[in-house]
Amino acid sequence: MKSSSNVHRRTVLACLGLGAVATAVAFTFTLNSNTGIPIKWPAGNIPLTIMLGSSTTLFDGTNFNTSARTAAQAWNSVIGSAQFQTTFATGTPDENNIVNEMAFGDQIFGRDFDTSTLAITTGFSRGNERTKADIIFNTKNFTWDSYRGFRPSSLPENTIDLQRVAIHELGHVLGLDHPNEKGQQVNAIMNSRISLNVDTMTADDIEGAQSLYGPPGMPANDAFANATLITLAGSTTSVKGVNTNATKEAGELRHADNPGGRSVWWRWTAPSSGTATLDTGKVDPTTQKIDLSNGKSSYYDTTLAVYTGTSVGSLTSIASDDDIEDGVIQASTVTFNATAGTTYRIAVDGFNNIVQNTEDTAGADNGGITLNLAFGGTIIGTAPSITTQPSSFTVNSGGSASFSVTATGTEPLSYQWNFNTNAIAGATNSNLSLSGVTTGQAGTYTVTVSNTVGSTTSTGATLTVNTPAPPAPPPSSGGGGGGGAPSLWFCAVLASLGLTRLLRRRP
């Protein structure tokens, strides 16, 4: 269930200074204080009206409007379920309209800037959903331009790069907060102080945004037939995924009696009989809300269901759940008695609020998923071991390549081939054959071998695809005086004769 629909406002700041640098993953979010779940936009476009102006050519050749649009496009290139849709306009931003606006100003809707504040993002939300955001850049204390890297010496000392600050503020619009203010030390454009050597998103920023909106493209386990295998090396395991851009198949059931619409699938075979517990999030015992700090919670309002059966249209329900606590703890959990050798099909979807609020047409909630499994039975058998690794290939474009692997371990063994770490749909045998290869298929191939005890991944095999050189032109020939291309003067004479004949034919 969704939480109460009251609207509240959240203000975030970006301040001038040097950001801290470290290697830990530390992205943080603007959270719904009632549920502990990040506040983000529903799937679809995020309209953004840019009102910065286009009359000034900046250091990097852009103008203020196009520099800000480039910042929005940088985020669009790495996230899946939502995209900034930018338009240019003139005028004055309005905090109380329903338009997301980006503008210059010496105040924030009548309130003064702090002297060290570069820009500010104001936002409104309803429950876990962002409904409006505005960005104001401080013109009272700073001069703005657009450049990469360190400030060029030809620009005044108080000149700030608009594009990197726009990327930071648009990160707030998406739902990201300041990791350094939450005690984290990480190299990120989302730190509260601007960094001279960070002018675009880092890996930490991108991972944070993809936790909310997923990466571009469709999840590999979108379809029931492509369910991802879960294996247990011990009594517990956690697997990751996203349901952004996922779909619901024809004949698919309502998981946890909710229409959903963005389901993804896992499968698990019980190694012995015993009690199994699945959940999509852990609860902080102090706050009694979802705990996102431990890496074992999903980032949205999930639904969860467990079935047996071999096709999406002929499933038997075993257990299902929406919220651990309705409207408050919006993770899902189920416990059931597992039978040795039985394969269980696990669906994770998003709550679709259209059941209770007909104005919500965005469909099922979506985002990053953490699925936790705890098993109380006995783990029996031997984990897979690869005895023959796949070999690399070099082929010409249009040719064929075949990878294979040999593994031992308790049967049955399952195989999943991956291309550059992404699962290849339907590639679930010990061999992978490719025909009519293109340069787009060049890269690294691995295979993960799994059974009920555990899994292992092969070393990478490289596919190199050569593009054959075009055939040489046939040798020229000619009678008597030899061949070759006609000289330029000869072509000119022919053209002149042709034009003369044409003029003579005119009446």
Side-chain angles (χ1 to χ4, degrees):
M1 290 183 171
K2 295 293 182 182
S3 62
S4 58
S5 61
N6 58 302
V7 176
H8 65 277
R9 180 172 169 275
R10 163 88 175 174
T11 300
V12 287
L13 303 177
C15 301
L16 179 64
L18 291 175
V21 177
T23 57
V25 174
F27 48 84
T28 57
F29 308 101
T30 302
L31 302 177
N32 181 341
S33 59
N34 294 323
T35 65
I37 286 181
I39 295 172
K40 63 183 181 65
W41 296 90
N45 290 325
I46 307 171
L48 176 65
T49 299
I50 301 174
M51 310 165 70
L52 300 172
S54 58
S55 60
T56 303
T57 300
L58 305 178
F59 183 86
D60 61 6
T62 65
N63 58 58
F64 289 121
N65 281 349
T66 56
S67 181
R69 172 174 278 174
T70 299
Q73 291 169 340
W75 282 116
N76 286 350
S77 68
V78 298
I79 58 177
S81 68
Q83 295 280 284
F84 287 110
Q85 185 180 56
T86 58
T87 57
F88 299 149
T90 58
T92 303
D94 184 351
E95 186 178 31
N96 297 313
N97 63 16
I98 59 172
V99 182
N100 307 313
E101 295 166 321
M102 177 186 284
F104 288 121
D106 57 9
Q107 287 187 319
I108 318 108
F109 302 119
R111 301 178 298 277
D112 289 333
F113 276 102
D114 182 85
T115 56
S116 64
T117 300
L118 295 172
I120 190 169
T121 297
T122 65
F124 292 86
S125 58
R126 179 181 294 110
N128 300 332
E129 290 187 0
R130 177 71 66 204
T131 58
K132 173 178 165 61
D134 295 311
I135 300 172
I136 307 297
F137 296 90
N138 183 355
T139 56
K140 184 175 182 179
N141 305 105
F142 302 99
T143 300
W144 295 91
D145 210 296
S146 186
Y147 53 86
R148 308 287 74 74
F150 291 89
R151 175 181 55 82
S153 59
S154 60
L155 296 177
E157 190 171 328
N158 70 334
T159 302
I160 304 299
D161 172 28
L162 179 129
Q163 192 171 122
R164 79 185 70 187
V165 177
I167 291 174
H168 175 103
E169 298 302 324
L170 288 169
H172 284 314
V173 173
L174 290 173
L176 299 177
D177 211 337
H178 300 142
N180 64 312
E181 290 186 346
K182 302 296 174 66
Q184 307 290 347
Q185 298 297 307
V186 66
N187 186 29
I189 205 165
M190 290 310 302
N191 282 325
S192 64
R193 294 180 177 272
I194 192 171
S195 176
L196 299 179
N197 63 343
V198 178
D199 56 23
T200 191
M201 302 93 68
T202 67
D204 184 82
D205 302 307
I206 293 170
E207 187 174 351
Q210 290 183 348
S211 295
L212 300 179
Y213 301 98
M218 187 171 289
N221 59 339
D222 174 40
F224 175 88
N226 295 328
T228 300
L229 178 68
I230 297 177
T231 60
L232 278 173
S235 60
T236 63
T237 191
S238 295
V239 293
K240 300 286 186 178
V242 296
N243 74 326
T244 51
N245 296 331
T247 59
K248 188 171 183 177
E249 296 175 76
E252 188 172 331
L253 297 172
R254 292 164 57 103
H255 310 304
D257 197 29
N258 184 268
R262 295 188 172 97
S263 60
V264 288
W265 293 88
W266 279 267
R267 57 189 170 91
W268 172 68
T269 302
S272 62
S273 295
T275 302
T277 298
L278 287 157
D279 69 70
T280 59
K282 300 301 184 183
V283 179
D284 185 322
T286 302
T287 64
Q288 287 300 302
K289 294 181 174 61
I290 292 296
D291 184 4
L292 294 177
S293 65
N294 58 16
K296 291 189 176 181
S297 292
S298 302
Y299 296 96
Y300 72 97
D301 185 357
T302 62
T303 62
L304 171 66
V306 180
Y307 305 94
T308 56
T310 57
S311 67
V312 74
S314 60
L315 297 177
T316 299
S317 177
I318 301 300
S320 66
D321 184 54
D322 173 14
D323 290 351
I324 294 175
E325 181 180 345
D326 285 353
V328 179
I329 304 177
Q330 295 177 327
S332 312
T333 185
V334 297
T335 298
F336 60 97
N337 293 320
T339 301
T342 299
T343 298
Y344 295 92
R345 313 288 176 160
I346 304 158
V348 179
D349 206 332
F351 186 85
N352 191 329
N353 201 41
I354 202 168
V355 172
Q356 297 159 340
N357 181 357
T358 56
E359 294 180 0
D360 187 350
T361 58
D365 204 355
N366 62 97
I369 298 168
T370 299
L371 180 62
N372 305 299
L373 170 63
F375 180 57
T378 303
I379 307 299
I380 302 173
T382 304
S385 176
I386 295 176
T387 56
T388 303
Q389 299 285 348
S391 301
S392 297
F393 276 89
T394 298
V395 299
N396 288 333
S397 179
S400 300
S402 180
F403 301 99
S404 64
V405 67
T406 304
T408 60
T410 300
E411 298 287 347
L413 296 176
S414 297
Y415 301 86
Q416 176 59 65
W417 287 91
N418 313 291
F419 172 53
N420 292 341
T421 74
N422 297 313
I424 304 171
T428 55
N429 297 316
S430 59
N431 298 299
L432 174 66
S433 297
L434 304 174
S435 60
V437 298
T438 66
T439 54
Q441 292 173 287
T444 302
Y445 290 79
T446 60
V447 60
T448 299
V449 186
S450 308
N451 62 11
T452 58
V453 184
S455 64
T456 185
T457 299
S458 71
T459 58
T462 301
L463 177 61
T464 303
V465 181
N466 295 327
T467 302
S476 58
S477 60
S487 63
L488 293 177
W489 71 264
F490 183 66
C491 292
V493 170
L494 289 179
S496 176
L497 290 173
L499 178 61
T500 302
R501 291 184 178 182
L502 179 62
L503 292 174
R504 288 176 177 174
R505 290 177 183 173
R506 291 180 179 176

